[in-house]
Amino acid sequence: MEFRFFHHFGSYLLMLKGMFSRPENMKMFWREFMRQCVDIGIGSFGIVFIISLFMGGVTTLQIAYQLVSPLIPKSTIAQVVRDTIILEFAPTLTCIVLAGVVGSKIASELGNMRVSEQIDAQEIMGINTKGYLILPKILAALIMIPCLISIAGFLGIWGGEKAGELGGILSSEQYWQGLRQEFKAYNIFFALFKSFVFAFIIASVPSYYGYNVEGGALEIGKASTSAVVVTCVLILFMDYLLAALLL
């Protein structure tokens, strides 16, 4: 078990090193990079939009259900919703969903290219396949996923406001009053820092599993599943580690 871990970890580091060993043609690289930005960013926007709205609404309803004391002002509900969404729900929950959406797509795409020998053909032509296939995915994820998480935070807070209004829990004025109470700009920095770490994991780990597939269609499915599971576990582990170190 330990030997397999160190074997995979060493191969993963060698893959990252190989991305920078021989840069590819900039025009080809840019075209692939933009394609990945569209796939990762725009392709995932719909699911992020839906999750964020309901995430904010459910958070507002559940916090209002628990804060039943008349001594606690209703604006406190918005304050708790704000910090919960910014610190945890927007970066972590969104990235776990993206690990399934984006991660499985990356692993399947690279796995299919490996099994159909497209990667071998590119290497024979002298192309640095790690730099051409994997690096654009990682760079696109580092740009698009933090943008998606920023949108998720905004939509989550807005969804919480609408749920509070529609449920008769608190008015829009009370909600915005709570949003302004004891606001810490550091929380946004922490959420964005987490988003960059999670984005790197979401792009690089599935790339490793897909790039190193051996076998046929069955192995592609196994690699895709393993990539999503490992990515989710690493996201939760780094979530705890960053919270322990930075908060």
Side-chain angles (χ1 to χ4, degrees):
M1 184 68 180
E2 292 181 1
F3 174 77
R4 286 181 60 192
F5 169 77
F6 287 113
H7 167 74
H8 286 298
F9 185 66
S11 300
Y12 173 75
L13 294 179
L14 289 173
M15 180 197 76
L16 296 179
K17 177 177 176 290
M19 294 189 306
F20 304 99
S21 62
R22 192 171 70 251
E24 275 309 310
N25 180 282
M26 197 60 200
K27 187 177 179 181
M28 293 173 57
F29 182 88
W30 178 256
R31 189 183 301 120
E32 179 65 15
F33 169 71
M34 293 305 295
R35 187 178 74 84
Q36 293 301 326
C37 284
V38 172
D39 285 350
I40 293 173
I42 299 175
S44 305
F45 178 76
I47 187 67
V48 171
F49 180 86
I50 294 171
I51 287 172
S52 303
L53 285 179
F54 285 101
M55 174 178 65
V58 170
T59 304
T60 298
L61 295 176
Q62 290 188 350
I63 291 173
Y65 171 74
Q66 296 177 61
L67 294 180
V68 294
S69 173
L71 300 176
I72 301 176
K74 289 188 175 182
S75 60
T76 306
I77 296 173
Q79 185 179 342
V80 177
V81 170
R82 177 199 68 200
D83 291 339
T84 303
I85 289 176
I86 291 176
L87 287 173
E88 191 61 29
F89 281 178
T92 307
L93 187 60
T94 303
C95 282
I96 287 178
V97 173
L98 291 176
V101 176
V102 176
S104 61
K105 183 180 182 300
I106 290 175
S108 300
E109 179 184 336
L110 289 174
N112 186 57
M113 293 183 70
R114 171 65 74 184
V115 169
S116 61
E117 299 182 352
Q118 295 180 49
I119 294 178
D120 297 332
Q122 290 179 0
E123 289 176 343
I124 290 172
M125 291 188 291
I127 297 174
N128 177 13
T129 53
K130 295 184 181 72
Y132 176 62
L133 296 175
I134 298 175
L135 184 58
K137 291 177 171 58
I138 294 177
L139 292 179
L142 287 173
I143 292 174
M144 300 309 296
I145 290 180
C147 293
L148 289 173
I149 288 173
S150 301
I151 294 171
F154 171 79
L155 289 174
I157 292 173
W158 183 71
E161 177 191 2
K162 294 306 173 185
E165 285 186 56
L166 294 174
I169 297 169
L170 73 171
S171 65
S172 179
E173 291 75 17
Q174 291 173 318
Y175 192 88
W176 280 97
Q177 179 188 350
L179 290 181
R180 291 189 292 266
Q181 286 176 355
E182 299 179 22
F183 173 72
K184 296 179 181 178
Y186 179 78
N187 291 348
I188 295 179
F189 164 77
F190 177 71
L192 289 175
F193 185 81
K194 283 206 301 185
S195 70
F196 281 106
V197 174
F198 296 165
F200 182 80
I201 294 172
I202 289 170
S204 61
V205 173
S207 294
Y208 168 75
Y209 276 93
Y211 189 84
N212 293 286
V213 166
E214 294 179 356
L218 182 62
E219 281 70 23
I220 294 175
K222 289 181 178 179
S224 179
T225 302
S226 299
V228 172
V229 171
V230 173
T231 301
C232 290
V233 171
L234 286 175
I235 286 173
L236 293 173
F237 173 74
M238 290 305 300
D239 185 33
Y240 169 78
L241 188 64
L242 291 173
L245 292 176
L246 299 178
L247 290 182

